[in-house]
C-alpha cells in the first residue's frame, strides 16, 4: 500500500471534517482550532455525531478521553458507544456532553497535593485543536485534565496556555516590526526519538529492565561502540521489519515519521518526524512512544526508552527542534540571505538569548529526571550547564552590530570534493556542536537535553513562555520607539552585553568550560534534585503566573511531584537491585565458588597444584564477601528513618547517598561477572542484550 493511501486514515483531521461537517459548522470549528476562538456549544452536537459515525465506520466500539497526566505518559478510560432503549435493545450514541467533558479519578494520578483520596474528582475537556484518532477499536479524543478546583493536573493545559501567550506577544512583536498579514504565531517542533531494541526473551530474564527500564548490573562488554560501525549502518532484517510496521502504524495515525536509522550505540535507533505545531507534536510524540512499545512486542522485541539503559555507551535523548512560525508561512528563526538586515530574525535571536540566560535554571529543570541524570554530560549528551551555540558567523555578526558595523554574517562557500563527477556543495554558516544543549541549526534551535522517556510538553511550555516573556518586553520598546532601527540596534547591543555569557561555541565536555561557566556565573545544576528548585524560584513563578501559564500553586505542586518521583524511582531501583543480588547473583556465585573449590580439591588430591585456580578462588571469595558487605550497607541506608527528612532532603539523600552505594554494589557484582562462567551467570550479559538480535 502506498504511503498516501495509509496516511492519516485513522485521524479525524481537516479533510475528514470538511467532508463530514456542514460548511458553517466546519468553518466555526476551524476558527476554534486555528485561532483559538471559543468553542460554540451548539457545534459540539454536530461534531460529536459526525465523529461517532466516522469512528464506528473504522470499527470503533468505544471512545476515550485521552489525556496527559504528570507522569510522562498518557491515560484514558474507555466507554462504549452503546445506550439502552426502552424495549431492551441497544443503540450507538455519542452526545456532545460526552465529547466535551469526562470525569476520571484525579487522586490516582500525580497531583502534588492538589487532590487526595477523599477529594478525587477531576475533569477532562476536549481539546479541539488536536485531532481525534482511532486506534485498536477506540476513538481517542485529546483532552486537557484539571482538578475539581480548576488547577491543571496535566502537561497539555499549561502547554495550551503557553501557546496563547506566545501567540499574543508574537503578534505584538510582528506588528511592531511592520508585519501585519499574520493572524497566528505558534511554535513548531520536531522531536527526534532515540530508543533501544533488544530481544524480548532476554529482556524477560532481566528484572532490572522490566521494573526500572535500565540495567542495574552489567559488566562492560568486549565490544561496545568503539568501532563506530553501528551508526547509520545496515539495519538488521528483524529491526527493519519492526521499523516498517512502526512507520505504517504511525502514518495511519497522522504521525509524519520521516527518518529512521541506527544510532551510535549497538541496538540503538532513532526516528525523526517532520516539524509540526507544538500541540500536535507533543501528542504525536506520546503516540510514537506507545506505538513503539506495542509494535516491539509483536516482533518479540522490547523497546527501551530509558535515558541510560546501559552503562558505558550512548544514552537516548529526544532532541527537541524548536522554531516559531506564523499561519502565513513566516519563520521567526529563518536568517535569510542577509540576516544582518532581517529585523525579525535578529529580534527573535536576541529574545531567545536573553530568555535562555534569564531562565536557564527553569529550562534545565524541564530536562531533569532521575533517569536523565545518568545520561547528561557525555556520550553525545549535553552537560548540565545551559549554554547557546550560534556558530562563529552569527556570533561575529551580533558582535559587529554592537560595534556599529554592518558586516554580514554569511560566510557560505562551496565545498569542493576534488572529484569531477561530484557536485559542489554549499557549506553551511556553522558546523554542528553535538555537545551544546541549545544549538542553532540553520532555522531552528535544537534543545538536546530532553530525555528519551520524557514528554516534550513541559520543555516546550517553558520555551514558549520564555519567548513570550521577552517578546513582551521587546514589543513594549518597539511600539514606543521613535526610531525603529536605532531601538533594534540598542536591543541587540544590550542583549549581547547583558546576556552574552550564555553564548559558547566550544566543546561543552571540557573541564575548561566548567571553570569558564563558573566564572560567567552560569548555573551548574548537576542532578534532578537540584534542578527541581527552579520551578519554585520566585522569579520563574512570577514569569509563569504573569503569562497565565502556571499559578504559584500549580508550580509548587509540580515541585512536589518532581521530588516524589526521584524518591520513588531510586527506591524502586535500590530494592530491585537488592532482589537481584540476593536471589540471583549471590546464589549463583556461591555455587560457582563451590564447584571451583571442588575442582581445585580434586586436582590437589591427584597431586596437581594449580596456583591460577587457587588465585581465582581467592578473587571470587573476596568478591562474594564484598557483594555481601555492600548489599548489607545498602540495606542499612535504605532502612534509615525517612520520617526525619523533608521531601527535599529525602530526594537529596536518595541522590547523594543511596545511588553511590548502589554503584559500589554494582562494581563488585560486575567484577564477579567477569570471572564467572557464562553458563552460570544468572542474567543475560551486555553482549547478549546488545549483540543478539
Amino acid at each position: 500500500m502506498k504511503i498516501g493511501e495509509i496516511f492519516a486514515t485513522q485521524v479525524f483531521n481537516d479533510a475528514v471534517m470538511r467532508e463530514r461537517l456542514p460548511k458553517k459548522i466546519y468553518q466555526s470549528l476551524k476558527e476554534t482550532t486555528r485561532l483559538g476562538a471559543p468553542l460554540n456549544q451548539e457545534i459540539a452536537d454536530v461534531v460529536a455525531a459526525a465523529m461517532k459515525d466516522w469512528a464506528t465506520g473504522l470499527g470503533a466500539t468505544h471512545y476515550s478521553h485521552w489525556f496527559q497526566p504528570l507522569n510522562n505518559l498518557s491515560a484514558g478510560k474507555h466507554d462504549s458507544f452503546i445506550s439502552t432503549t426502552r424495549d431492551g435493545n441497544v443503540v450507538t450514541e455519542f452526545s456532545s456532553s460526552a465529547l466535551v467533558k469526562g470525569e476520571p479519578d484525579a487522586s490516582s494520578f500525580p497531583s502534588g497535593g492538589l487532590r487526595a483520596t477523599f477529594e478525587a474528582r477531576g475533569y477532562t475537556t476536549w481539546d479541539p485543536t488536536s485531532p481525534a484518532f482511532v486506534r485498536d477499536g477506540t476513538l481517542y479524543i485529546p483532552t486537557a485534565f484539571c482538578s475539581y478546583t480548576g488547577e491543571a493536573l496535566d502537561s497539555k493545559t499549561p502547554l495550551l496556555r503557553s501557546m496563547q501567550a506566545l501567540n499574543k506577544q508574537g503578534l505584538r512583536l510582528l506588528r511592531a516590526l511592520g508585519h501585519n498579514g499574520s493572524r497566528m504565531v505558534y511554535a513548531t517542533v520536531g522531536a527526534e526519538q532515540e530508543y533501544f531494541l533488544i530481544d524480548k526473551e532476554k529482556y524477560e530474564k532481566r528484572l532490572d529492565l522490566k521494573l526500572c527500564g535500565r540495567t542495574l548490573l552489567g559488566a562492560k562488554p568486549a565490544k561496545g561502540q568503539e568501532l563506530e560501525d553501528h551508526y547509520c549502518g545496515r539495519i538488521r532484517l528483524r529491526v527493519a521489519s519492526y521499523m516498517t510496521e512502526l512507520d505504517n502504524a504511525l502514518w495511519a495515525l497522522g504521525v509524519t515519521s520521516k527518518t529512521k536509522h541506527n544510532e551510535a550505540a549497538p541496538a540503538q535507533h532513532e526516528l525523526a518526524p517532520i516539524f509540526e505545531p507544538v500541540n500536535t507534536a507533543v501528542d504525536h510524540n506520546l503516540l510514537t512512544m506507545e506505538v513503539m512499545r506495542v509494535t516491539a512486542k509483536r516482533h518479540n522485541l522490547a523497546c527501551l526508552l530509558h535515558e541510560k539503559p546501559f552503562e558505558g555507551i550512548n544514552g537516548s535523548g529526544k532532541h527537541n527542534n524548536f522554531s516559531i512560525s506564523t499561519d502565513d508561512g513566516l519563520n521567526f528563526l529563518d536568517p535569510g540571505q542577509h540576516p544582518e538586515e532581517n529585523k525579525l530574525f535578529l529580534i527573535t535571536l536576541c529574545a531567545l538569548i536573553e530568555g535562555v540566560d534569564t531562565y536557564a535554571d527553569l529550562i534545565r529543570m524541564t530536562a531533569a529526571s532521575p533517569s536523565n541524570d545518568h545520561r547528561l554530560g557525555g556520550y553525545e549528551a549535553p552537560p548540565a550547564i545551559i549554554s547557546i551555540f550560534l556558530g562563529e558567523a552569527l556570533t561575529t555578526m551580533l558582535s559587529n552590530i554592537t560595534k556599529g558595523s554592518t558586516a554580514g554574517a554569511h560566510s557560505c562557500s562551496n565545498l569542493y570534493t576534488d572529484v569531477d563527477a561530484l557536485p559542489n556543495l554549499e557549506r553551511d554558516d556553522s558546523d554542528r556542536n553535538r555537545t551544546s544543549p541549545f544549538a542553532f541549526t540553520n532555522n531552528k534551535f535544537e534543545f538536546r537535553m530532553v530525555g528519551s522517556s520524557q514528554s516534550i510538553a513541559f520543555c516546550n511550555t517553558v520555551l514558549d513562555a520564555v519567548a513570550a516573556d521577552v517578546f513582551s518586553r521587546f514589543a513594549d520598546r518597539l511600539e514606543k520607539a521613535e526610531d525603529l532601527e536605532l531601538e533594534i540596534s540598542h536591543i541587540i547591543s544590550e542583549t549581547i552585553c547583558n546576556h552574552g555569557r550564555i553564548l559558547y561555541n566550544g566543546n561543552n565536555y571540557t573541564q575548561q568550560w566548567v571553570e569558564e561557566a563558573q566564572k560567567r556565573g552560569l548555573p551548574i545544576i548537576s542532578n534532578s534534585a537540584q534542578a527541581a528548585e527552579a520551578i519554585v524560584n520566585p522569579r520563574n513563578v512570577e514569569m509563569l503566573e504573569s503569562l497565565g501559564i502556571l499559578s504559584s500553586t500549580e508550580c509548587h505542586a509540580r515541585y512536589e511531584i518532581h521530588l516524589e518521583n526521584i524518591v520513588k524511582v531510586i527506591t524502586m531501583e535500590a530494592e530491585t537491585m537488592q532482589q537481584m543480588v540476593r536471589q540471583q547473583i549471590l546464589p549463583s556465585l556461591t555455587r560457582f565458588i563451590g564447584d571451583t573449590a571442588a575442582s581445585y580439591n580434586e586436582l590437589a588430591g591427584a597431586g596437581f597444584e594449580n596456583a591460577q585456580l587457587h588465585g581465582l578462588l581467592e578473587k571470587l571469595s573476596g568478591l562474594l564477601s564484598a557483594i555481601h558487605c555492600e548489599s548489607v550497607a545498602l540495606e542499612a541506608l535504605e532502612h534509615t528513618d525517612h520520617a526525619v527528612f523533608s521531601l527535599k532532603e529525602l530526594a537529596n539523600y536518595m541522590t547523594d547517598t543511596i545511588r553511590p552505594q548502589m554503584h559500589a554494589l554494582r562494581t563488585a557484582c560486575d567484577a564477579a561477572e567477569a570471572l564467572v562462567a557464562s553458563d552460570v551467570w544468572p542474567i543475560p550479559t551486555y553482549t547478549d542484550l546488545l549483540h543478539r538480535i
Side-chain angles (χ1 to χ4, degrees), residues 65-295:
H65 273 202
W66 189 64
F67 59 98
Q68 301 168 19
L70 297 170
N71 58 9
N72 290 306
L73 300 171
S74 62
K77 60 181 180 179
H78 299 248
D79 291 303
S80 72
F81 288 116
I82 66 169
S83 179
T84 57
T85 61
R86 291 183 178 181
D87 57 6
N89 291 319
V90 296
V91 294
T92 58
E93 290 184 346
F94 186 50
S95 66
S96 59
S97 60
L99 168 64
V100 172
K101 179 183 175 183
E103 190 178 326
D105 178 0
S107 68
S108 297
F109 295 100
S111 71
L114 295 176
R115 293 280 82 189
T117 303
F118 74 95
E119 46 184 9
R121 194 183 298 276
Y123 298 115
T124 53
T125 181
W126 176 37
D127 172 18
T129 67
S130 187
F133 57 92
V134 169
R135 182 176 168 223
D136 299 329
T138 295
L139 168 65
Y140 286 87
I141 303 159
T143 58
F145 179 41
C146 65
S147 74
Y148 180 73
T149 48
E151 295 90 357
L153 297 177
D154 65 344
S155 56
K156 178 181 277 283
T157 302
L159 177 65
L160 294 173
R161 294 170 180 168
S162 75
M163 291 168 62
Q164 289 183 167
L166 180 63
N167 180 48
K168 178 180 178 181
Q169 302 305 329
L171 286 174
R172 284 186 63 208
L173 188 68
L174 284 175
R175 302 293 184 260
L177 292 172
H179 295 276
N180 298 312
S182 304
R183 300 176 65 197
M184 186 175 185
V185 173
Y186 56 90
T188 56
V189 168
E192 304 168 28
Q193 178 71 55
E194 294 177 336
Y195 61 101
F196 281 83
L197 288 176
I198 63 172
D199 186 81
K200 191 171 186 296
E201 183 179 350
K202 295 178 177 63
Y203 166 85
E204 292 290 342
K205 295 178 181 178
R206 295 279 315 212
L207 186 65
D208 47 5
L209 285 176
K210 291 176 65 176
L211 297 186
C212 306
R214 75 179 182 100
T215 54
L216 302 173
L217 306 171
K220 189 180 186 300
K223 182 182 185 300
Q225 60 191 68
E226 295 85 357
L227 297 180
E228 294 90 19
D229 57 342
H230 193 257
Y231 181 67
C232 288
R234 181 185 66 82
I235 299 174
R236 296 175 182 177
L237 294 179
R238 189 174 173 190
V239 174
S241 177
Y242 162 82
M243 288 180 169
T244 297
E245 183 178 340
L246 176 63
D247 275 341
N248 288 336
L250 292 175
W251 288 334
L253 292 167
V255 180
T256 55
S257 175
K258 173 72 172 177
T259 303
K260 59 184 179 183
H261 61 83
N262 292 343
E263 256 299 337
Q268 188 185 33
H269 312 279
E270 181 180 289
L271 179 152
I274 297 174
F275 277 70
E276 54 192 344
V278 62
N279 188 29
T280 307
V282 170
D283 287 359
H284 281 175
N285 185 250
L286 282 172
L287 262 180
T288 296
M289 291 193 288
E290 291 179 15
V291 176
M292 277 180 168
R293 294 188 186 99
V294 172
T295 304

Side-chain angles (χ1 to χ4, degrees), residues 3-33:
I3 296 177
E5 297 173 349
I6 301 172
F7 191 77
T9 52
Q10 304 294 111
V11 184
F12 194 72
N13 59 11
D14 186 73
V16 175
M17 291 189 292
R18 191 185 302 113
E19 175 187 348
R20 290 178 172 265
L21 296 176
K23 186 175 181 179
K24 289 185 178 180
I25 298 292
Y26 167 76
Q27 290 175 339
S28 180
L29 186 60
K30 286 300 293 181
E31 286 296 303
T32 295
T33 58

Side-chain angles (χ1 to χ4, degrees), residues 335-336 339 390-394 409-413 427-431 442:
L390 291 182
E392 294 302 328
L394 283 179
H410 271 225
S411 58
C412 284
S413 60
R427 193 195 309 266
D428 289 311
D429 282 339
S430 65
D431 206 341
N442 297 327

